[in-house]
Amino acid sequence: MPRIPAPHRVPRQPWAWLWLFAASQVAVLALWWIGGWQWGLPALLLTHGALVWATLRPQSPWFSPVLTRLRTDERVLWLTIDDGPSDDTVALLDLLDAFDARATFFLVGERARARPELVREIARRGHGIGNHSHSHPAAWFWALPPRRMAAEIADAQAVLGELAGQPPRWFRAVVGMANPFVAAALRRHGLARVAWSARGFDAVAADPQQVVARVERTLAPGAIVLMHEGAGHGRNVETMRALLERLRVLGYRCVVPEISAA
C-alpha cells in the first residue's frame, strides 16, 4: 500500500510564545497608561482571550506546529484511533485487515502498560503508534502545569517505546487541546503534533450512521480522520465498520503517512 509524505514538524522554539505574550502585556500597560482603562482593558482581554483560544482550538499552531491534513490530491486519508488500547483493539485490527486499511493508534501510556500484548499486536500488524499522554486527564490536560505536562508525555513515550520497540514520532493532545507547555516536551522527545480535519464525535455518539455522515461532510483528499476506541456506549467497532464500508464506496484508501522533513 503506497504511503503519502507527512511533514514531521518538531517545535523549534517552544518558548517563543512566552516572549511574545510578555511583549503584548508591555504593550497593554502602555495603552493603559496612555489611553486609560477604555483602551487598556479591551487590549488585556484580547491578549488573554487569544491565549485561551490557542489552547482550546486543536488546529491552532500558535504554541507548536500541528499537522491537520496530508498534502495530496489522491483519495487517501490518514485514519487515527485514539484512547486505546481497549477491549475493542483486536476487533478493530481485524476490521482494518479485512478492508486492507492502515491506521495510527494514539495510545494512552497507563492503558498500554496494563495491556502490553495489544500494543505489540498493533505494531505487528503494521499500524502506527502515537503518544496520547500517560493518564489521559481529559478534563484538565489543557490546563496542566509544565512539570505535569512533561511527565504525561515523557512517561507515555517511555512505555510505548519499550512495548512497540521504537518510540512514537507523533503526538495527539488529549481532547486535542494543547496548552503552552506542550511544545517543550514535544521538542525534548522529537515528537510532532497531529490534530485532524474530519471527525464524527464517535467517542460520545452511539449512532454509527450519524458518525459516518459527520465524517463525510468534511472528508477530502488527505484528510486526517479522528476516531476512538473503548467508548462507554460500546459501539466503536460497529461504527468503524460502517465508516470503512462508506470509505470503500467513496473510493478512499486509509494509509499511514511516511514521515518527511518539514
Side-chain angles (χ1 to χ4, degrees):
M1 181 176 291
R3 297 194 176 192
I4 304 297
H8 187 263
R9 296 183 295 238
V10 177
R12 295 180 179 178
Q13 298 179 326
W15 297 107
W17 69 269
L18 182 59
W19 295 106
L20 291 172
F21 184 69
S24 75
Q25 298 315 288
V26 171
V28 167
L29 288 174
L31 277 174
W32 208 303
W33 178 264
I34 296 170
W37 69 268
Q38 294 92 338
W39 287 89
L41 183 58
L44 182 69
L45 295 175
L46 180 63
T47 54
H48 283 74
L51 199 68
V52 172
W53 179 89
T55 295
L56 301 183
R57 179 171 171 76
Q59 291 81 14
S60 170
W62 286 16
F63 300 134
S64 63
V66 58
L67 184 63
T68 58
R69 67 182 313 111
L70 306 178
R71 295 178 181 176
T72 179
D73 294 325
E74 297 182 50
R75 285 210 160 203
V76 298
L77 58 82
W78 185 5
L79 180 61
T80 63
I81 305 171
D82 285 11
D83 297 353
S86 71
D87 290 341
D88 294 338
T89 303
V90 172
L92 288 173
L93 289 171
D94 290 344
L95 263 180
L96 292 168
D97 283 350
F99 282 85
D100 193 24
R102 291 292 176 266
T104 295
F105 288 74
F106 283 89
L107 303 179
V108 177
E110 286 183 347
R111 298 171 191 174
R113 178 183 288 163
R115 310 185 75 165
E117 73 285 355
L118 294 180
V119 181
R120 297 189 183 103
E121 185 65 7
I122 292 169
R124 187 188 72 80
R125 296 210 201 182
H127 301 284
I129 291 175
N131 184 324
H132 193 43
S133 85
H134 191 63
S135 67
H136 201 268
W140 295 106
F141 185 83
W142 66 275
L144 292 183
R147 185 172 296 180
R148 173 70 189 282
M149 181 64 74
E152 282 288 339
I153 295 173
D155 292 350
Q157 193 74 352
V159 170
L160 297 174
E162 177 184 351
L163 295 177
Q166 59 182 6
R169 300 291 305 278
W170 302 105
F171 171 79
R172 173 165 286 150
V174 178
V175 199
M177 299 175 184
N179 80 15
F181 307 121
V182 168
L186 297 187
R187 179 174 174 80
R188 189 173 302 119
H189 297 285
L191 287 161
R193 185 160 65 96
V194 180
W196 57 82
S197 60
R199 68 182 302 186
F201 296 93
D202 63 314
V204 293
D207 182 348
Q209 297 308 317
Q210 183 183 64
V211 171
V212 172
R214 285 173 176 164
V215 171
E216 188 174 346
R217 279 199 290 270
T218 51
L219 205 57
I224 299 177
V225 178
L226 169 63
M227 298 293 286
H228 296 82
E229 60 176 299
H233 55 66
R235 302 189 72 181
N236 285 143
V237 175
E238 183 183 350
T239 300
M240 182 64 74
R241 177 181 292 277
L243 176 63
L244 291 172
E245 288 173 349
R246 184 58 181 161
L247 292 175
R248 176 177 283 178
V249 170
L250 294 173
Y252 278 92
R253 294 176 290 113
C254 301
V255 303
V256 174
E258 191 78 54
I259 290 174
S260 66

